[in-house]
Amino acid sequence: MSEDQKRVESGRRVVIVGAGMAGVQSAVALREQGFTGTVTLIGAEPHQPYDRPPLSKAVLLGKAEGSAFDIDFDALGVDLRLGVDVTGVRPADHELDTEAGPVAYDSLVLATGAEPISLPGSEGVPGVHLLRTLDDAERLRPVLAEQHDVVVVGAGWIGAEFATAAREAGCSVTVVEAADRPLAGALPAEVAAPMAAWYADAGAELRTHARVERVEPGAVFLDDGTRLPAGAVVVGIGARPATAWLAGSGIALGAHREVLADERLRTSVPDVYAVGDCASFPSRRYGERLLVHHWDNAVQGPRTVAADIVGESPTAYDPVPYFWSEQFGRFVQYAGHHAPGDELVWRGASGDPAWSVCWLRGGALTALLAVGRPRDLAQGRKLIEAGARMDPTLTADPSTPLKRATTS
């Protein structure tokens, strides 16, 4: 880079909205890739930026006071502005509107994440909780410490993780789920249905086909007339991209109100990027647009954003999605992306302590769910990345390493 280019670069301003993993990693990646201009990181919460996964585990159970990132923002040369609400953006003016006044940018990174969906009619009812922020976890710690009767609404990933923590704390736990099985929105019936037994094994009651009619202080009423005592109610029925503040900006949103990013994570307007839970991206690997609400996506995407900002012409962003969940004494990992028409191949039986499920499309491995089989996950993730074709018979043999079940 010439001296003139360095002077131009040092005068550029990158503003990042959202101080979660995606926003923090965007700031880090910019510095790692040699960006010498101004980096401003704006977060709505007053806390030092922190990691979210421990909130439903160590922080919730009082085993950790917090999960702040071990990053020296001053040393990194990042202007950290916390407790600041962003209200809008005017791309034509290259300005961000905040409650503290306008902030000018040359490049803008949207990393506002997702916000939990509230249970209709439960807003303002004492004892009803969401679990997304550090403050949410702090409010729930005494609930677990006092061993209240807890009702969890939703048997998805976060519902299962909270139920796990609540049982570990000695609470009586009832989980209500409108669908016929846990994880109905994430996994097919034959894979998710056996997981219902995990709840009973842990001493939690799982009620499927159960719809909440109303919530009152101390009780949850189901539509069949059942009254469930509830010292606390934890709602885990999903999350939506936090993009309402973009109304009127001209930035294109998708069907789920997520920002539509391209293969370099650029939005529909110049000099604005979107990364993490608030954005979807086109996947050539899977032939569809993906909206990935998981930690790994928030770590990987910022490298692509930073490379594009510094002018490195990054390769198309097309990762193999990955996430994990710890629930009821099991370590559950998932890599890839499956579709309804993919061939399902079991490795082991669902009643075993450890098992995996593979999805094949045209013979190629597209996704893998591993329960207590981390080696399957590690090998499967690389095979998906490589587009490896699998022998279904060898794939179904849990004693055969996945890397030896290929046809090539």
Side-chain angles (χ1 to χ4, degrees):
M1 185 181 291
S2 70
E3 288 303 315
D4 286 343
Q5 287 175 315
K6 287 181 179 179
R7 278 194 292 273
V8 171
E9 176 97 335
S10 64
R12 290 177 63 200
R13 302 159 298 182
V14 175
V15 176
I16 304 166
V17 185
M21 177 61 80
V24 167
Q25 288 300 318
S26 294
V28 171
L30 281 165
R31 293 305 189 212
E32 287 180 344
Q33 296 188 34
F35 181 74
T36 58
T38 300
V39 177
T40 302
L41 181 61
I42 301 175
E45 294 182 54
H47 311 290
Q48 279 292 116
Y50 60 88
D51 204 5
R52 294 189 188 277
L55 298 185
S56 60
K57 306 172 184 72
V59 175
L60 188 60
L61 289 168
K63 297 178 180 179
E65 289 304 312
S67 55
F69 295 116
D70 185 18
I71 295 173
D72 187 334
F73 291 97
D74 288 335
L76 203 60
V78 172
D79 177 14
L80 188 60
R81 304 184 187 182
L82 301 175
V84 176
D85 284 324
V86 176
T87 57
V89 59
R90 289 171 283 113
D93 300 326
H94 276 63
E95 280 195 337
L96 192 69
D97 290 320
T98 80
E99 61 178 7
V103 179
Y105 66 84
D106 294 301
S107 295
L108 177 65
V109 181
L110 310 178
T112 47
E115 54 196 7
I117 298 171
S118 298
L119 182 68
S122 69
E123 295 86 348
V125 177
V128 176
H129 302 263
L130 299 169
L131 181 51
R132 180 72 182 181
T133 69
L134 181 59
D135 288 339
D136 292 337
E138 293 293 349
R139 282 189 287 266
L140 279 164
R141 279 170 98 172
V143 170
L144 269 59
E146 294 163 17
Q147 298 186 336
H148 284 286
D149 289 340
V150 176
V151 173
V152 180
V153 182
W157 299 112
I158 193 66
E161 289 189 0
F162 178 80
T164 298
R167 283 299 300 141
E168 186 176 332
C171 298
S172 173
V173 178
T174 302
V175 181
V176 296
E177 168 58 51
D180 62 347
R181 62 188 187 276
L183 297 168
L187 298 172
E190 58 191 300
V191 178
M195 296 177 175
W198 297 359
Y199 289 77
D201 291 346
E205 180 182 5
L206 173 64
R207 288 174 172 255
T208 56
H209 299 289
R211 294 186 177 276
V212 176
E213 183 178 87
R214 69 184 188 280
V215 179
E216 296 181 359
V220 172
F221 293 86
L222 304 182
D223 62 1
D224 64 359
T226 301
R227 178 188 183 277
L228 300 174
V233 179
V234 177
V235 179
I237 55 176
R240 60 169 66 92
T243 58
W245 66 281
L246 293 173
S249 68
I251 295 172
L253 302 181
H256 301 284
R257 309 302 295 168
E258 85 281 12
V259 180
L260 295 175
D262 69 6
E263 72 283 352
R264 285 156 64 178
L265 300 181
R266 301 171 299 186
T267 71
S268 61
V269 304
D271 304 318
V272 180
Y273 300 80
V275 66
D277 291 6
C278 71
S280 65
F281 57 89
S283 171
R284 186 175 303 172
R285 186 191 315 279
Y286 292 106
E288 62 181 284
R289 180 169 283 275
L290 299 183
L291 175 59
V292 180
H293 282 188
H294 296 300
W295 186 91
D296 194 63
N297 180 51
V299 172
Q300 292 198 59
R303 299 173 196 143
T304 295
V305 170
D308 200 76
I309 289 175
V310 302
E312 289 189 1
S313 298
T315 56
Y317 185 63
D318 196 7
V320 173
Y322 166 74
F323 74 92
W324 76 96
S325 177
E326 297 177 65
Q327 49 184 272
F328 308 119
R330 295 167 175 84
F331 187 44
V332 184
Q333 296 172 283
Y334 178 93
H337 174 72
H338 67 272
D342 293 350
E343 178 186 0
L344 193 63
V345 179
W346 284 84
R347 284 172 61 79
S350 62
D352 294 343
W355 49 271
S356 297
V357 172
C358 295
W359 284 267
L360 308 181
R361 185 182 307 172
L365 185 64
T366 59
L368 180 140
L369 175 78
V371 178
R373 290 182 65 98
R375 183 175 297 177
D376 275 5
L377 191 287
Q379 294 182 9
R381 194 175 182 182
K382 292 177 181 176
L383 293 170
I384 296 168
E385 184 77 44
R389 299 178 67 82
M390 310 297 291
D391 180 315
T393 301
L394 292 175
T395 301
D397 180 1
S399 67
T400 299
L402 272 178
K403 64 182 180 182
R404 304 200 187 284
T406 61
T407 58
S408 55

